[in-house]
Amino acid sequence: AIELMGNKTAARTAMQEAGVPIIPGTTDPVGSVAELLALGDELGFPLLIKAAAGGGGKGMEEVHDPAQAEQAFERAQRQGQSYFANPDVYVEKLIVDPRHVEVQVLADSHGNVVHLGERDCTIQRRHQKLIEETPSPAVDEELRQRIGAIGVEAARACGYRSAGTIEGLLTRDGDYFFMEMNTRIQVEHTVTEMVTGLDLVREQVLVALGEPLSVRQEEVELRGHAIECRINAE
């Protein structure tokens, strides 16, 4: 599961096959500028080129019109090779002004998967998160259930076991799209711990030992509000 979700194109394919909503775009690497331009005709600009093995905002290039395509394509490939030793890139429709909302999930080896609500990581600089909060000010109970179910579905689709995070984009119209999965504990897991009262690292260790989760979905209760601020020293 970790290997599958580490490659963004393979992850997108797996999620699409499982019926999880993904951002419109390719599930295979894009091999040429001509392909990129054809996608521009099909999906409409702006587009976002992303390194298939990328992360942390590296290997991402926006294309707002065809004239930028060649330069952006080559830059994304170069960064993919340089940062991740993999020049493969794929293309998504660039969603303008979304909220970055992610779902914390826990999965064990006994078929139990739960979500622990969402974290809002919209405030970023250079695609790096600066502020994470839970619950999200843009998510009501109905939407929380919907995106939580998407998170659980995504974890099940790849047979995940451990603590993980389903990252997604929430559009102005309330659509939620899978973006990628972080197959690890995240820096921002602490805000989820604050509002759920659960020790996620402890849960992760117990799952690794073959134990079942200590909590069922109906027992998960969000209390209060937590915000984490990161300090960037450049």
Side-chain angles (χ1 to χ4, degrees), residues 59-115:
M60 288 170 60
E61 294 290 334
E62 294 183 9
V63 185
H64 290 268
D65 68 66
Q68 300 174 315
E70 188 167 0
Q71 213 172 12
F73 183 77
E74 286 171 2
R75 243 191 336 253
Q77 279 190 318
R78 208 162 46 239
Q79 285 188 47
Q81 181 61 48
S82 166
Y83 289 113
F84 310 107
N86 182 347
D88 286 352
V89 297
Y90 67 101
V91 176
E92 290 176 349
K93 175 80 177 154
L94 179 65
I95 296 175
V96 179
D97 202 22
R99 291 189 84 97
H100 183 132
V101 177
E102 61 191 26
V103 185
Q104 176 71 58
V105 294
L106 283 174
D108 65 21
S109 52
H110 303 272
N112 303 307
V113 185
V114 300
H115 74 85

Side-chain angles (χ1 to χ4, degrees), residues 11 33 43 64 98 108 119 123 130 147 149 173-174 188 193-195 205 208:
V33 179
L43 298 172
H64 290 268
D108 65 21
R119 293 188 290 260
I123 297 174
L130 285 180
I147 65 179
D173 300 329
E188 58 268 33
E193 291 185 326
M194 294 287 283
V195 300
V205 171

Side-chain angles (χ1 to χ4, degrees), residues 115-190:
H115 74 85
L116 305 176
E118 80 288 345
R119 293 188 290 260
D120 197 312
C121 310
T122 304
I123 297 174
Q124 302 184 8
R125 178 171 180 273
R126 295 182 180 172
H127 304 293
Q128 297 275 359
K129 298 167 187 172
L130 285 180
I131 293 176
E132 291 106 359
E133 65 177 309
T134 187
S136 166
V139 174
D140 60 16
E141 194 50 45
E142 187 188 344
L143 182 55
R144 182 167 297 114
Q145 300 289 350
R146 180 154 60 87
I147 65 179
I150 288 171
V152 167
E153 241 170 79
R156 282 195 193 284
C158 64
Y160 192 65
R161 305 280 178 269
S162 190
T165 300
I166 308 300
E167 305 224 10
L169 294 183
L170 180 62
T171 71
R172 290 172 173 179
D173 300 329
D175 291 323
Y176 187 74
F177 294 111
F178 168 87
M179 189 165 49
E180 63 189 50
M181 183 177 187
N182 287 137
T183 51
R184 54 183 166 79
I185 197 87
Q186 280 184 293
V187 170
E188 58 268 33
H189 77 277
T190 50

